[in-house]
Amino acid sequence: QVQLVESGGGSVQAGGSLRLSCAVSGDTIDTYYMGWFRQAPVKEREAVASIGRYGISTYADSVKGRFAISKDFAKNTLYLQMNSLKPDDTAIYYCARGRGSGPPRVAEDDYDHWGQGTQVTVSL
């Protein structure tokens, strides 16, 4: 059974940084595209970043230049480094494993396993 467990969320002031981790068990992550999504209060869940099997990544316009997604095959873990955080980044962040291999994808339907989420709160 594939399980994803996020960690690293918390409260930070605007301009600060956080690194989210997503530990995956039950399968390896090296052949799948992986993604980070977030859901803010009263908003729909949105894609933040995705990384394909061979390391190509894509980002939402709102986080380009501030966030970086990466994979550690040895630790079977997905990361999201978040810098220059803004109050608009406040949300629950979810990691997800794709349904298959290939380039990064941003549609939720392309993912079949999800973590439980970790809260990120950015204050002024």
Side-chain angles (χ1 to χ4, degrees):
Q1 182 180 359
V2 178
Q3 290 188 322
L4 291 75
V5 179
E6 301 99 335
S7 61
S11 297
V12 64
Q13 288 189 320
S17 298
L18 286 173
R19 188 177 79 156
L20 304 183
S21 300
C22 174
V24 181
S25 61
D27 200 352
T28 59
I29 66 172
D30 57 338
T31 60
Y32 297 93
Y33 52 87
M34 303 285 295
W36 286 99
F37 292 76
R38 69 185 180 186
Q39 187 167 19
V42 302
K43 291 186 177 180
E44 293 187 353
R45 189 157 57 183
E46 64 175 355
V48 175
S50 176
I51 186 166
R53 178 179 182 180
Y54 299 107
I56 297 173
S57 57
T58 186
Y59 298 91
D61 288 343
S62 59
V63 306
K64 280 181 182 176
R66 300 189 297 121
F67 290 12
I69 188 172
S70 61
K71 294 189 288 187
D72 185 326
F73 297 139
K75 295 182 178 180
N76 216 41
T77 298
L78 179 73
Y79 298 100
L80 185 68
Q81 177 67 44
M82 306 186 296
N83 300 323
S84 302
L85 283 161
K86 305 175 181 180
D88 284 349
D89 296 318
T90 296
I92 300 174
Y93 284 71
Y94 301 89
C95 66
R97 195 202 73 172
R99 294 184 183 276
S101 184
R105 303 192 184 193
V106 297
E108 290 188 41
D109 288 347
D110 288 326
Y111 293 82
D112 58 2
H113 289 85
W114 295 79
Q116 82 288 351
T118 185
Q119 176 71 47
V120 171
T121 302
V122 184
S123 59
L124 288 171

